[in-house]
Amino acid sequence: QVQLVESGGGLVQAGGSLRLSCAASGRTFSSYAMGWFRQAPGKEREFVASISVNGGSTYYADSVKGRFTISRVNAKNTVYLQMNSLKPEDTAVYFCAAKRWGPTSLPQDYNYWGQGTQVTVSS
């Protein structure tokens, strides 16, 4: 069982930056691939980024590639999402999620989810 708690969301102007954190409970965090997803009002949940269990492999949605960076510190049971050059279309609730084995881009592959943190980018 893994419990996830996101933090770091907020209101930022276009072009600004935010860093989201996701703290995981349990002693097996290093066994889980981690992902970040987002959901805007009226839209489906979409993949943002994912990272392998040791952090050696990362994957990004085309819409955030070059602007967002996912990372993890297993000793702190934490995964991060650094978001730079934010755009109004990045406005959404951001969720972190965990799954065994390798990272994927499909929400249905992930077994554990946080409650989400709101990111709002003003124009």
Side-chain angles (χ1 to χ4, degrees):
Q1 190 81 5
V2 177
Q3 292 184 324
L4 304 172
V5 179
E6 302 96 335
S7 61
L11 173 65
V12 63
Q13 288 187 332
S17 299
L18 283 174
R19 188 176 81 156
L20 305 184
S21 300
C22 174
S25 66
R27 292 176 288 182
T28 60
F29 175 73
S30 59
S31 300
Y32 290 86
M34 300 297 296
W36 284 99
F37 295 81
R38 66 187 182 187
Q39 189 166 17
K43 295 187 177 181
E44 293 187 352
R45 193 167 297 191
E46 66 173 2
F47 170 72
V48 175
S50 62
I51 189 167
S52 59
V53 295
N54 63 1
S57 297
T58 57
Y59 306 91
Y60 297 93
D62 287 344
S63 59
V64 307
K65 203 171 292 183
R67 301 188 297 123
F68 291 11
T69 302
I70 188 172
S71 61
R72 66 189 296 163
V73 179
N74 285 346
K76 294 186 177 181
N77 281 14
T78 303
V79 62
Y80 303 96
L81 185 69
Q82 177 67 44
M83 306 186 294
N84 298 330
S85 302
L86 282 161
K87 304 175 181 180
E89 51 264 44
D90 294 319
T91 295
V93 177
Y94 283 70
F95 300 88
C96 69
K99 67 178 296 292
R100 290 285 193 180
W101 309 117
T104 70
S105 62
L106 300 175
Q108 58 266 36
D109 290 345
Y110 289 76
N111 307 108
Y112 303 101
W113 291 83
Q115 82 289 348
T117 186
Q118 177 71 46
V119 171
T120 303
V121 184
S122 63
S123 57

